[in-house]
Amino acid sequence: MTKAPIAGNRTGRKLGQKVKKTKLKASSRRWLERHINDPYVQRAKLEGYRARAAFKLLEIDEKHNILKGARRIIDLGAAPGSWSQIAANVTGSTDADVRVAAIDFLEMAPLPGVKILQLDFLDPEAPEKLIEAVGGTPDLVISDMAAPTTGHQKTDHLRTMHLCEVAAHFAIEVLAEGGHFLAKTFQGGTERELLTLLKQNFRQVVHVKPGASRSESVEMFLLAKGFKGRKPATAEEADEQDR
Ligand SMILES: C[S@@+](CC[C@H](N)C(=O)[O-])C[C@H]1O[C@@H](n2cnc3c(N)ncnc32)[C@H](O)[C@@H]1O
């Protein structure tokens, strides 16, 4: 069971530490203090995850059961790679039989069983490259993408929502029937059109706020479960699906 970590110091570091007043700006000092005192950061270190974000996915899975049975997973906005670590683990992915494809425009250190693309997901070539990299039809598309911040809240919000929409269209294009789509979104920010699209294509659509997602953050996750499948566009495609 994924329990919220309790304040402890199994990493050898006490919680509640203060950062000395040095040349750091007050905002940077506050960030650093929050980071080193964050029990999820300490637990990620302890359990070998590259980021505290691991616990968001694990908590969502605990409640909604999306990882079990996944054979191929595509991870969008994957760096530094904690979701990919989990994905490789649940799919049993290895370098000889790769079942996880990850994309990020930032560099990401190699992970066994994960094909990493250093590319903008909005690049027109990204969808094809991801499908090629994952080696078959994925049954899970997960996206933790957030647009780099500009400092202008509304712009940042719109850009992340755009990423979420493009990811949703991608998931509908590539998922296997019965598959799931999970994406980062913002509180109150999911467009009605996107929700309608997801409800048309998935059996269940819910918003989730895992405990590991900081309460002061407007971050939420949109989970669409049970992809209903693509309708064949042509008679040939219908024949193909029947075979
Ligand atoms: C919150 S981090 C992901 C953390 C990751 N889930 C983990 O567990 O380690 C969001 C990532 O999305 C990436 N990102 C944002 N926009 C992107 C885009 N258009 N294409 C590819 N990656 C993008 C960022 O570079 C960043 O690394």
Side-chain angles (χ1 to χ4, degrees), residues 23-216:
K23 284 180 186 153
L24 277 183
K25 275 201 296 184
S27 58
S28 309
R29 201 176 65 242
R30 274 197 304 276
W31 182 89
L32 196 58
E33 260 171 23
R34 192 180 62 176
H35 186 76
I36 59 176
N37 292 314
D38 181 334
Y40 285 103
V41 171
Q42 302 205 7
R43 189 171 157 205
K45 232 184 212 162
L46 207 65
E47 295 184 22
Y49 288 118
R50 290 182 176 182
R52 71 189 292 294
F55 302 107
K56 300 180 192 174
L57 180 58
L58 292 171
E59 282 176 22
I60 292 170
D61 178 57
E62 196 169 285
K63 188 151 180 224
H64 297 278
N65 204 19
I66 54 173
L67 294 171
K68 195 171 159 213
R71 291 165 51 81
R72 293 183 198 277
I73 301 180
I74 294 184
D75 184 7
L76 310 174
S82 71
W83 284 20
S84 289
Q85 287 177 287
I86 296 168
N89 195 14
V90 298
T91 54
S93 190
T94 62
D95 287 342
D97 179 16
V98 173
R99 290 169 172 274
V100 178
I103 187 169
D104 204 297
F105 48 51
L106 296 181
E107 199 176 344
M108 179 167 144
L111 266 177
V114 181
K115 174 83 185 154
I116 299 167
L117 305 177
Q118 190 177 354
L119 184 68
D120 187 338
F121 173 64
L122 298 176
D123 185 304
E125 290 190 358
E128 207 179 314
K129 288 193 169 166
L130 279 165
I131 282 296
E132 197 184 306
V134 82
T137 308
D139 27 36
L140 190 55
V141 172
I142 48 182
S143 167
D144 198 12
M145 285 186 294
T149 47
T150 61
H152 186 263
Q153 217 178 345
K154 202 165 177 193
T155 307
D156 295 342
H157 196 106
L158 287 172
R159 287 169 70 195
T160 294
M161 289 317 304
H162 177 62
L163 284 171
C164 182
E165 275 165 31
V166 180
H169 284 280
F170 171 71
I172 290 167
E173 284 289 306
V174 303
L175 272 176
E177 196 171 333
H180 313 305
F181 168 63
L182 173 71
K184 183 171 357 235
T185 176
F186 285 132
Q187 265 161 20
T190 311
E191 299 295 333
R192 192 180 295 266
E193 259 175 55
L194 174 59
L195 279 178
T196 307
L197 176 81
L198 291 173
K199 283 179 182 165
Q200 279 165 352
N201 284 280
F202 292 83
R203 282 184 234 292
Q204 191 192 3
V205 180
V206 286
H207 281 97
V208 209
K209 174 90 175 165
S213 178
R214 294 189 167 103
S215 53
E216 69 274 23

